Amino acid sequence: MAAGRAEACDVLVIGGGAAGLSLAHRLTENLAATVTLVEPPDGPLRPAERTWCYWGAGTDGLEEAVSASWSVLRVHGTDGRPLTVEPAPFTYRMVRSTDFERMVHGRLARADGARLLRATVESVCDVPGGAEVRCALPGGRSLTLPARKVFDSRPLPGLPPARTRLLQHFRGWFVRTATDRFDPTVADLMDFRVPQPAQGLAFGYVLPLTPDRALVEYTEFSRDVLTTEAYEAALGRYCRDVLGLGALTVERTEQGVIPMTDARFPRRAGHAVFRIGTAGGATRPATGYTFAAVQRHGRAIAAALRDGHGGIPAPYGRRALAMDAILLRALDTGRIDGPDFFTGLFRDVPAERLLRFLDGTTSPREEWGIGLRTPVRPMLRTAAEVPFLPRRSRPAARTGGSNR
């Protein structure tokens, strides 16, 4: 079939996941540029429905897509004792990918100079004055899309070299119980009342939606993923032995892997081609949190384009990444006990400040105070070691699924 060529746009965004949708949303919100969002057509390249969670304060432009929120958070230590915090003004918010997609697609349809295109991207290359994206339409016809800037959210073929590489991997059940078992006002962020692996850490995660419905996940921070059968067994034990849910029905499942690494993710793939999302380093290395970061990054990119700034900001500053490199190494070596470390943070640090710290938005003074509440000697030993460790390549696990 004959190839076609589209009219040039200011910004072309590749990918319909959290990062691509978020950037398209912020660009149309700010009317910063003419925008084309390219998503895969229906089929195997389109990701399954996912859940994204984040903490936010006040209005943030996502209200239409938020399906549930919680103002009270809870952590259970390995000793079984609950620790409950109220992180006002923050609430913990859940976004289903289908709701978010519907919201962003609607705004693209209503915005002048914005459009959605379903196509399979085949190549991206720099050209004078910008970049070109060549793709295949569902019918097989080729189409070339010129743009001044391209933002690519597709996963990298492999993770860059790193000193430390862990994976946050999980499987979740959307369950309905025979009787009321949940308190819809309280979200369990980390429940360490599960058997801990020999290396890394494991926890349960419960987001109650109604008194008889919840998302229940089993999560590990470790070097390798489990089999589906192992996740299912762990979820069954957690629901039965720890939560005491009794008879239940699993209505839907989710599973995913998030890289936790101090690798240096490339922010550019060309002079006019930029990477966003996990591929661009938007996943917080020590926690796996991504969704809030892609919102901030999307707003910052939209503001830079609107104001005519040449530079595109990074998702995180060097200080946050340096702290994460130390924490990852300390967890991976076993110098700190993961459950005790995270439980201690929630116990000793004001909740609002801790949530900002986990998202990378605290000041140096606040971070110093938080650091004094961590195991100082093993952290100092690790800080002295990290700069001299070599970065090595390792096979990449397939990433995707829920992003917190």
Side-chain angles (χ1 to χ4, degrees), residues 33-334:
T34 56
V35 184
T36 297
L37 173 62
V38 181
E39 294 184 0
D42 292 337
L45 293 180
R46 287 192 67 77
E49 186 177 5
R50 293 90 76 208
T51 300
W52 298 313
C53 291
Y54 71 105
W55 31 73
T59 58
D60 57 11
L62 304 180
E63 289 75 18
E64 184 182 334
V66 172
S67 58
S69 65
W70 300 267
S71 57
V72 181
L73 307 177
R74 185 166 56 200
V75 173
H76 287 270
T78 53
D79 59 5
R81 289 186 294 179
L83 175 63
T84 302
V85 298
E86 298 183 27
F90 290 111
T91 58
Y92 196 56
R93 304 172 183 183
M94 172 191 279
V95 173
R96 296 293 293 158
S97 61
T98 49
D99 296 330
F100 190 43
E101 185 179 87
R102 188 180 306 114
M103 182 191 80
V104 175
H105 287 182
R107 297 193 177 187
L108 288 169
R110 294 189 297 271
D112 292 335
R115 67 168 175 164
L116 169 67
L117 178 67
R118 290 286 181 87
T120 302
V121 172
E122 297 178 330
S123 67
V124 183
C125 62
D126 281 320
V127 297
E132 286 186 348
V133 176
R134 294 178 182 174
C135 41
L137 299 175
R141 188 169 68 94
S142 295
L143 182 65
T144 297
L145 304 167
R148 287 198 304 113
K149 286 184 170 61
V150 172
F151 293 88
D152 191 347
S153 68
R154 293 174 299 168
L156 297 173
L159 294 176
R163 295 168 296 204
T164 307
R165 172 187 169 272
L166 295 176
L167 299 172
Q168 180 179 152
H169 51 100
F170 53 87
R171 184 171 174 86
W173 289 348
F174 283 87
V175 303
R176 183 183 294 274
T177 53
T179 58
D180 292 351
R181 296 287 184 176
F182 303 107
D183 179 355
T185 66
V186 182
D188 285 296
L189 283 188
M190 288 181 156
D191 186 345
F192 293 110
R193 296 175 296 171
V194 298
Q196 295 299 309
Q199 187 174 39
L201 60 93
F203 58 89
Y205 175 74
V206 183
L207 300 183
L209 305 174
T210 65
D212 65 344
R213 291 179 60 245
L215 168 60
V216 181
E217 286 187 0
Y218 173 80
T219 301
E220 283 192 14
F221 292 2
S222 60
R223 292 183 181 181
D224 300 300
V225 300
L226 305 180
T227 64
T228 299
E229 292 75 18
Y231 290 119
E232 289 283 297
L235 275 166
R237 287 193 298 269
Y238 181 54
C239 289
R240 180 185 64 248
D241 301 338
V242 178
L243 299 180
L245 297 185
L248 59 84
T249 301
V250 178
E251 299 182 323
R252 192 166 65 250
T253 64
E254 289 190 349
Q255 187 166 324
V257 183
I258 301 171
M260 301 176 68
T261 170
D262 64 356
R264 294 170 176 163
F265 285 83
R267 290 169 49 200
R268 284 193 134 139
H271 178 75
V273 183
F274 303 85
R275 295 196 181 276
I276 56 173
T278 296
T283 295
R284 185 76 195 264
T287 63
Y289 284 107
T290 306
F291 192 79
V294 299
Q295 302 309 310
R296 289 195 306 273
H297 199 213
R299 285 192 293 266
I301 292 171
L305 294 175
R306 181 194 61 216
D307 297 339
H309 296 162
I312 300 299
Y316 294 105
R318 293 182 179 179
R319 193 174 69 248
L321 295 178
M323 290 188 297
D324 279 12
I326 295 167
L327 176 54
L328 278 177
R329 179 69 178 175
L331 285 171
D332 190 39
T333 58

Side-chain angles (χ1 to χ4, degrees), residues 321-392:
L321 295 178
M323 290 188 297
D324 279 12
I326 295 167
L327 176 54
L328 278 177
R329 179 69 178 175
L331 285 171
D332 190 39
T333 58
R335 289 178 189 148
I336 62 172
D337 180 279
D340 287 349
F341 177 85
F342 285 106
T343 303
L345 285 180
F346 276 93
R347 182 184 62 244
D348 299 333
V349 179
E352 180 268 346
R353 186 181 306 165
L354 177 58
L355 298 191
R356 287 191 292 107
F357 172 74
L358 295 177
D359 261 350
T361 59
T362 40
S363 67
R365 181 177 180 181
E366 290 173 320
E367 290 158 7
W368 176 257
I370 292 171
L372 293 176
R373 289 170 171 80
T374 65
V376 175
R377 284 190 178 181
M379 296 298 276
L380 286 176
R381 176 186 171 188
T382 306
E385 173 188 73
V386 162
F388 302 99
L389 296 173
R391 295 181 183 270
R392 294 189 174 95

Side-chain angles (χ1 to χ4, degrees), residues 14-40:
I14 301 174
L21 289 168
S22 298
L23 179 55
H25 166 52
R26 298 304 175 184
L27 290 169
T28 57
E29 185 179 59
N30 279 355
L31 299 176
T34 56
V35 184
T36 297
L37 173 62
V38 181
E39 294 184 0

